[in-house]
Amino acid sequence: SKEFTEQLSQIGNPKAIDESLNALTWGISKCAEDFDSVPGAAGIRVAKTDSTKWGSKAIPKLTVFFRIGGAHVDLLWIEAEKPSC
């Protein structure tokens, strides 16, 4: 969605989170139904990563909200927490 794209651009250096985001979206593409549903939000699911370090770079915890729409998935919202490591 437009909001997802805007939020991703505001997170900061996208190269610092590319690997985490790629892994997360790959998981969503392969088994979207396996991710938890958001209570009280009809049809919305959530996928999360943990914060970590990659070399000298801290990778933030990512949370992606999405909706399964037939044969496709709509990425709705992304949040990033400051790394704790």
Side-chain angles (χ1 to χ4, degrees), residues 16-72:
I17 63 162
D18 275 351
E19 291 301 318
S20 290
L21 187 57
N22 286 342
L24 211 118
T25 54
W26 178 84
I28 292 170
S29 75
K30 295 298 180 187
C31 50
E33 299 85 10
D34 291 347
F35 288 90
D36 292 335
S37 295
V38 176
I44 297 179
R45 295 179 179 265
V46 63
K48 299 177 182 181
T49 66
D50 291 324
S51 61
T52 189
K53 277 198 147 194
W54 187 326
S56 62
K57 293 186 179 191
I59 311 290
K61 174 183 177 180
L62 301 177
T63 303
V64 173
F65 296 89
F66 64 96
R67 179 179 297 130
I68 302 170
H72 67 279

